[in-house]
Amino acid sequence: MNIKILGPGCKNCQKLYDMANEIVEELGIDAKIEKVTEFKDIASYGIMKTPGIVINEKVQVSGRVPSKKEVKELINKNL
């Protein structure tokens, strides 16, 4: 599984990154989590508001920090 956190590095982006790492560890799954901070790379996903979360190259959420429960459900749905 490939998870990308889209954002310039603001506190909400970092919060989402930390949350994704925590959930992956809790679930015990093999996932690569990376930060995407370059605007052109973020824009290539078609989102204009950050933070965003992309799982397996599909945008799941953008423009807000989802709840931990929501992120966990998104990860489970994309396993």
Side-chain angles (χ1 to χ4, degrees):
M1 174 176 284
N2 188 345
I3 300 171
K4 295 179 181 176
I5 306 302
L6 310 180
C10 64
K11 68 179 179 120
N12 284 336
C13 302
Q14 186 61 46
K15 179 178 179 180
L16 186 53
Y17 178 80
D18 293 341
M19 186 188 310
N21 275 295
E22 187 178 313
I23 292 167
V24 165
E25 191 173 313
E26 284 176 11
L27 294 174
I29 59 174
D30 182 29
K32 177 183 176 191
I33 303 174
E34 62 184 288
K35 292 181 186 178
V36 177
T37 58
E38 293 294 323
F39 178 75
K40 67 176 178 52
D41 297 331
I42 294 168
S44 74
Y45 286 96
I47 73 164
M48 300 313 278
K49 291 183 119 186
T50 59
I53 184 167
V54 174
I55 300 176
N56 296 332
E57 294 304 311
K58 289 175 69 178
V59 176
Q60 303 293 321
V61 175
S62 69
R64 65 183 176 86
V65 177
S67 69
K68 183 174 180 179
K69 179 183 178 197
E70 185 179 357
V71 174
K72 190 178 274 190
E73 288 170 357
L74 291 169
I75 290 173
N76 277 321
K77 185 176 90 175
N78 286 281
L79 281 176

